[in-house]
């Protein structure tokens, strides 16, 4: 059995190569997936399993404790492990750090969506949120859209937005905190949201023609980052129908209200890999909901095992 800790995975990581890997993996037969989510107040325990027909199987179990970020000293909000089992013998083949795997998988999932749906000439990115995922987004975005030049950061806590923008600026980015969310959305070619909000932050009326909206944060039935008008104005895509429709408030709440139906989810990663149309023109607004899923964790685990040697 192999053990891949966070440091090993960070050393082996490469955004462009991981997105390539996920794109190729979605041409294979769909994996069977099953989720379990338990909650205690604002904390959650998420367990996800996937089994590729005739292939490997894996299980990820992570705790999500948002309050850890405010502790002194700060503690990780996401902690856990991924177990990879051999598809031929059923033996436990590897254990990977769950938080590191989740971060790489989550961002690469959205970047596969961006590769297929965002305009080729994206120059300005707005990041909504200032946590672990938010910090990784600019580098990952540049791997799929090298034209990216400017990054703005908005967060409910202006101090956290300024701190993240400062770290990005120190890396050479044209980065700054955005004091006004509406103005920042209106100016952005692409918007990535990575928050824990349950109330919509992004208004559809704010999205500029040609914008791409990448919704990462909402993962529970009570969570949304975008309002109904976003779904009316934009063409809607998801990473996997089975982990988003009926599973996440971003879709279930507007579906229950009759704002959209299942047919308004135009395609997921597997559909797009099979030839479904993505972006159709430069003025079109595209919306991608990142719901995750153990099949994506399984794909990402395979990538890191191959890269780690």
């Amino acid at each position: 059995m192999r053990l891949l800790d966070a440091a090993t995975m960070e050393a082996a990581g490469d955004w462009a190569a991981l997105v390539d890997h996920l794109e190729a993996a979605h041409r294979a037969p769909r994996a069977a997936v099953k989720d379990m989510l338990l909650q205690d107040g604002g904390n959650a325990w998420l367990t996800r399993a996937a089994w590729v027909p005739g292939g490997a199987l894996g299980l990820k179990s992570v705790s999500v404790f948002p309050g850890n970020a405010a502790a002194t000293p700060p503690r990780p909000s996401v902690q856990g492990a991924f177990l990879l089992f051999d598809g031929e013998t059923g033996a436990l083949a590897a254990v990977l750090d769950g938080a590191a795997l989740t971060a790489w998988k989550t961002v690469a999932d959205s970047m596969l969506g961006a590769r297929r749906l965002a305009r080729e000439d994206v120059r300005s990115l707005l990041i909504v949120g200032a946590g672990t995922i938010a910090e990784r987004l600019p580098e990952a975005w540049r791997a799929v859209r090298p034209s990216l030049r400017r990054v703005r950061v908005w967060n409910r806590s202006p101090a956290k937005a300024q701190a993240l923008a400062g770290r990005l600026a120190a890396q050479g980015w044209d980065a700054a905190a955005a004091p006004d969310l509406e103005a920042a959305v209106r100016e952005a070619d692409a918007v990535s949201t990575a928050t824990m909000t349950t109330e919509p932050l992004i208004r559809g009326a704010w999205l500029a023609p040609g914008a791409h909206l990448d919704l990462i944060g909402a993962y529970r039935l009570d969570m949304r980052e975008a309002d109904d008008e976003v779904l009316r104005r934009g063409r809607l895509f998801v990473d996997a129908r089975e982990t988003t429709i009926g599973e996440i408030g971003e879709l279930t709440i507007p579906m229950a209200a009759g704002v959209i139906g299942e047919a308004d989810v135009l395609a997921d990663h597997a559909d797009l890999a099979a030839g479904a149309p993505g972006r159709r023109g430069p003025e079109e607004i595209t919306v991608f909901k990142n719901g995750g899923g153990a099949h994506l964790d399984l794909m990402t685990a395979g990538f890191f095992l191959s890269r780690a040697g």
Side-chain angles (χ1 to χ4, degrees), residues 135-155:
E135 188 148 3
R136 291 173 175 263
L137 285 166
E139 181 184 0
W141 261 101
R142 186 160 54 187
V144 298
R145 290 294 181 267
S147 56
L148 181 64
R149 294 292 180 269
R150 188 181 74 168
V151 178
R152 296 294 179 261
V153 182
W154 183 92
N155 192 66

Side-chain angles (χ1 to χ4, degrees), residues 64-271:
V64 185
F65 281 50
N68 282 357
T72 304
R75 295 186 293 269
S77 298
V78 178
Q79 302 172 86
F82 181 86
L83 308 180
L84 177 67
F85 295 84
D86 184 271
E88 292 185 6
T89 67
L92 180 61
V95 179
L96 292 83
D97 183 276
L101 182 74
T102 298
W104 279 93
K105 176 268 297 183
T106 299
V107 175
D109 180 2
S110 279
M111 294 308 98
L112 180 55
R115 174 184 282 181
R116 290 165 161 167
L117 301 171
R119 295 198 326 262
E120 293 284 349
D121 61 346
V122 167
R123 295 185 62 83
S124 60
L125 169 67
L126 170 65
I127 299 171
V128 180
T132 300
I133 296 299
E135 188 148 3
R136 291 173 175 263
L137 285 166
E139 181 184 0
W141 261 101
R142 186 160 54 187
V144 298
R145 290 294 181 267
S147 56
L148 181 64
R149 294 292 180 269
R150 188 181 74 168
V151 178
R152 296 294 179 261
V153 182
W154 183 92
N155 192 66
R156 289 188 189 276
S157 167
K160 290 183 178 179
Q162 292 166 1
L164 175 54
R167 293 193 296 274
L168 295 174
Q171 297 169 19
W173 286 97
D174 172 3
D180 183 87
L181 180 58
E182 177 180 350
V185 172
R186 290 183 181 277
E187 293 173 356
D189 296 328
V191 180
S192 282
T193 60
T195 73
M196 291 289 184
T197 187
T198 57
E199 297 296 327
L201 292 170
I202 307 300
R203 309 295 174 187
W206 301 346
L207 293 169
H212 174 69
L213 175 59
D214 167 38
L215 300 168
I216 299 173
Y219 67 94
R220 301 191 314 248
L221 284 169
D222 63 331
M223 300 176 80
R224 293 184 72 181
E225 294 184 303
D227 72 355
D228 291 346
E229 189 62 19
V230 165
L231 305 180
R232 292 190 185 101
R233 290 193 67 201
R235 296 182 70 236
L236 177 60
F237 301 83
V238 299
D239 52 7
R241 296 176 187 275
E242 58 267 43
T243 62
T244 53
I245 297 174
E247 299 292 328
I248 294 174
E250 201 77 75
L251 300 185
T252 58
I253 294 172
M255 282 182 177
V259 175
I260 60 170
E262 289 193 22
D264 292 301
V265 179
L266 300 176
D268 64 9
H269 280 325
D271 298 327

Side-chain angles (χ1 to χ4, degrees), residues 9-20 104 108 139 143 303-304 307:
M9 295 170 67
E10 291 301 318
D14 179 284
W15 290 117
L18 178 53
V19 174
D20 288 344
W104 279 93
E139 181 184 0
F303 170 81
F304 278 106
R307 298 272 297 191

